[in-house]
Amino acid sequence: METINHLLFQCPYASLAWQSPKVDMFTNRALSSSLEENIQTMVLQLSANTSRNNQHFPFLIGWQLWKSRNDLIFNKVSHNVYSIITKEEENLVEWICATTSTHQPSPHLSPPLQQAYWQKQPPGYLKCNFDASYIHNNTHIGVGWVLRDEYGIYKLSGSSKLHQGSSPLEAEGMDLLHATQYLWCRGFRKVIIETDCRELHKLLHNQCKIASMESLIIDTRSWADRFANISFTLVPPECNQVADKLAKRAIIQSLASQIYFYPLSCISFFLFQDYINNAS
């Protein structure tokens, strides 16, 4: 009978995951037939005198086992048990990166602006908001960006479909690189680029490192060096709604791979809706 305890701990597939040398929680003890005892062991791992990775890794293994079971049942996709461990190691690094508070801003990039609503930029600067839309197992991601002047007046916007990234974070990184290249090619040299992706913001400001994102970050910084002045700023999702709508629209519509520009009337509607949401 498939019980929760059997699924997560006792079936041969799950047992292989827990017996991996990288998972040291159950290495020297037998898995219990009691779900409560196994969960208690996981909880005790949180207070163990070990690294943060080891404390939280068992919970991510359990989560990935559950996701793999659902993928097998509903999508007929079978995952190698060792790929689960590799995947969760990457997820753990991203999660710790996202939840660790650090204060090491890059000397080359401006510190984040703390704001609860969209703010005007200094005279002579343009502000670019960007966002990506990621759907698991889809062949493409949607990216969108909107450019406004120092008075908040709409200047340009773009939307495109790019080849699928391996994660939502990689999709955000691809969108940022895409938008940065576009701004430079259009001749803009003083820009503030805003994102609502906290993980990407930390990567840009050298507050953490993720191996799979290193190439995108290096490419983005290389393009950023060409600008007279550029900064990457973290904003709440409420300040990024127009770019979010453009990115989702790119997924919904059957767009070609080249850039599409939206008419002013369409963007005006998005901006008006953005204003109403912030005002409320």
Side-chain angles (χ1 to χ4, degrees), residues 16-72:
L16 281 176
W18 293 116
Q19 291 168 8
S20 167
K22 296 181 180 179
V23 186
D24 59 0
M25 185 179 66
F26 292 115
T27 301
N28 297 320
R29 69 190 76 184
L31 291 166
S32 173
S33 59
S34 167
L35 174 64
E36 288 76 13
E37 289 182 8
N38 288 328
I39 296 297
Q40 184 181 30
T41 302
M42 295 175 68
V43 173
L44 290 175
Q45 186 79 357
L46 287 173
S47 58
N49 185 21
T50 184
S51 68
R52 193 179 181 198
N53 292 46
N54 290 341
Q55 289 174 344
H56 294 91
F57 196 49
F59 293 91
L60 289 175
I61 288 292
W63 171 240
Q64 191 62 39
L65 286 169
W66 174 257
K67 289 170 62 179
S68 296
R69 179 264 187 192
N70 287 342
D71 225 9
L72 178 63

Side-chain angles (χ1 to χ4, degrees), residues 152-170:
I153 299 174
Y154 165 81
K155 302 295 290 183
L156 288 171
S157 62
S159 185
S160 180
K161 288 205 306 185
L162 304 179
H163 288 296
Q164 177 73 301
S166 62
S167 67
L169 178 59
E170 185 175 341

Side-chain angles (χ1 to χ4, degrees), residues 203-245:
L203 288 168
L204 289 167
H205 290 82
N206 289 327
Q207 295 178 357
C208 66
K209 288 186 179 295
I210 297 176
S212 60
M213 292 291 295
E214 196 66 22
S215 178
L216 277 172
I217 297 300
I218 290 174
D219 287 346
T220 301
R221 287 184 177 139
S222 176
W223 279 90
D225 288 340
R226 307 182 185 195
F227 288 76
N229 204 316
I230 187 172
S231 64
F232 300 95
T233 303
L234 179 67
V235 296
E238 294 80 10
C239 301
N240 220 33
Q241 294 184 36
V242 175
D244 176 66
K245 289 178 174 66

Side-chain angles (χ1 to χ4, degrees), residues 182-212:
Y182 167 75
L183 291 171
W184 190 88
C185 291
R186 293 284 295 187
F188 303 117
R189 296 296 179 263
K190 292 184 177 182
V191 295
I192 299 171
I193 300 181
E194 293 188 340
T195 176
D196 59 8
C197 180
R198 188 173 298 275
E199 293 86 352
L200 181 60
H201 181 263
K202 287 187 175 183
L203 288 168
L204 289 167
H205 290 82
N206 289 327
Q207 295 178 357
C208 66
K209 288 186 179 295
I210 297 176
S212 60

